[in-house]
Amino acid sequence: MNSKIPAYLTEKNNVIRLILFTAAFALLFINIFKPFGSRDWYKISDLKFFVFASLIVLVGMLVVVISRLIMLAYIRKNAINYWQYGLWVLAEILSMSMFYALFTKFIPEENAGRDFVEIFNDSAFHASLILLLPYAILWLYFSWREKNHMLEKLSQEEQPVEVHKKNLIAFLDEKGELKISIALENLLYVDSADNYATIHYLNKSKLSHFLIRNSLKWMEENMTTDRPLVRCHRSYIVNLDKVKVLRKTKDGIYLELDAMNTPDIPVSKTYYERVMNKFSKYSV
């Protein structure tokens, strides 16, 4: 009970929704159920009774309006716990009950002889229905909407991480420092010589390359998982998404890339099986 109420209960827009919805509910309630014996107060038409009842509801709803304005001012510097919120709602019910009881006692002449305590108890019962039912309905609605909003936010936050992980390749040097990041769709292949690797990629549709100090073995172990990258030779890692032809000749197997001025990439016997397994996976 000492925990704070959800923030959506005190958001300005939700407070406005609560006031409007409660007013509409109260208007329907008093015209449909005609509490306090109100329909017998005056011998007037249904239309005039509707207008008269609406004015009573609007005046009674001033209790909620004033209460919620005070609450908005209060929460700027203070938090509200569940028990405090419960007492606040109870105060609204009692205040509205007192207004309706006084009105019922002294305005219609037919009620002049009724006991005030009886009138107040009747008013408290109907005021509870007028406020608690719409409050409960809106609480459930706000809670449902907040959970949906959180789920949408989580899905939106997770999506960029997944896209970054799969589609943007970060190349680190042997010290672990980022040297270049290349979109997967632009990466062609990587070849190595000694302790250096050359990254071949497309930059604005032009063939480009970047030299980095790192081993092909490290790249194979850390960059090819869940990506269409595969080591096909002791000196090459290739992007299978860029392979347009796998050609088998008497001299061996070669991969032709879908880019001009790129050499055919050889596939050695050592890496043949893993290339074929991954090629079948990413060529579907």
Side-chain angles (χ1 to χ4, degrees):
M1 290 296 290
N2 289 325
S3 57
K4 298 177 183 179
I5 62 172
Y8 54 74
L9 288 180
T10 53
E11 288 179 4
K12 183 178 179 180
N13 290 337
N14 285 345
V15 170
I16 294 174
R17 292 187 181 98
L18 180 139
I19 293 172
L20 294 177
F21 181 74
T22 304
F25 182 89
L27 184 60
L28 289 174
F29 181 87
I30 200 170
N31 278 280
I32 293 175
F33 294 100
K34 300 175 176 60
F36 324 117
S38 56
R39 192 64 186 90
D40 299 327
W41 292 347
Y42 305 104
K43 303 302 180 182
I44 55 178
S45 66
D46 290 340
L47 178 60
K48 288 183 178 181
F49 177 80
F50 176 81
V51 174
F52 181 70
S54 300
L55 292 175
I56 296 175
V57 168
L58 292 177
V59 174
M61 284 304 299
L62 285 177
V63 172
V64 177
V65 173
I66 295 171
S67 170
R68 296 294 158 157
L69 288 176
I70 295 173
M71 180 183 289
L72 287 175
Y74 179 82
I75 62 174
R76 292 175 183 173
K77 297 182 179 179
N78 305 276
I80 297 181
N81 299 328
Y82 278 97
W83 69 268
Q84 292 173 315
Y85 188 77
L87 289 178
W88 205 298
V89 172
L90 179 61
E92 290 177 347
I93 293 173
L94 294 177
S95 299
M96 183 175 285
S97 301
M98 182 60 68
F99 165 76
Y100 285 137
L102 291 172
F103 180 89
T104 304
K105 174 68 177 176
F106 297 107
I107 301 302
E109 296 178 357
E110 289 81 352
N111 294 319
R114 289 183 62 190
D115 181 62
F116 183 77
V117 175
E118 177 189 349
I119 294 175
F120 181 81
N121 290 336
D122 190 34
S123 298
F125 173 75
H126 290 101
S128 298
L129 294 178
I130 290 172
L131 291 184
L132 292 181
L133 286 176
Y135 282 11
I137 292 171
L138 283 180
W139 192 327
L140 291 173
Y141 170 72
F142 292 153
S143 175
W144 170 80
R145 195 179 63 171
E146 181 71 10
K147 289 178 180 178
N148 278 355
H149 177 71
M150 291 177 63
L151 290 173
E152 290 176 2
K153 187 176 179 180
L154 285 173
S155 63
Q156 290 173 0
E157 288 178 351
E158 291 174 357
Q159 185 63 26
V161 173
E162 187 67 17
V163 171
H164 174 81
K165 179 181 176 182
K166 290 189 174 182
N167 292 344
L168 195 62
I169 313 298
F171 287 91
L172 311 179
D173 65 10
E174 59 184 4
K175 296 180 181 179
E177 296 181 0
L178 176 65
K179 292 300 181 180
I180 189 172
S181 293
I182 302 173
L184 179 61
E185 61 183 11
N186 293 328
L187 180 62
L188 298 171
Y189 66 98
V190 183
D191 61 15
S192 70
D194 298 326
N195 295 322
Y196 289 88
T198 303
I199 305 161
H200 300 266
Y201 63 99
L202 295 175
N203 183 13
K204 297 180 180 179
S205 301
K206 294 183 179 180
L207 189 62
S208 303
H209 62 271
F210 186 88
L211 186 66
I212 186 172
R213 186 178 178 88
N214 207 337
S215 67
L216 218 60
K217 178 177 173 54
W218 184 92
M219 293 183 185
E220 178 188 9
E221 293 175 350
N222 294 276
M223 300 174 62
T224 60
T225 304
D226 296 329
R227 293 187 177 115
L229 304 179
V230 64
R231 189 169 185 177
C232 60
H233 189 275
R234 64 183 179 87
S235 300
Y236 291 94
I237 289 178
V238 66
N239 181 2
L240 291 177
D241 281 350
K242 290 298 181 179
V243 175
K244 67 175 182 180
V245 176
L246 188 151
R247 186 179 73 254
K248 189 172 184 179
T249 68
K250 62 180 181 179
D251 297 323
I253 298 174
Y254 292 89
L255 305 174
E256 295 183 18
L257 303 184
D258 188 16
M260 295 181 62
N261 302 319
T262 55
D264 293 345
I265 309 298
V267 178
S268 65
K269 294 181 180 179
T270 303
Y271 298 96
Y272 173 76
E273 186 173 348
R274 78 177 67 174
V275 169
M276 295 308 297
N277 288 338
K278 205 157 192 178
F279 188 83
S280 61
K281 176 181 177 181
Y282 284 94
S283 62
V284 175

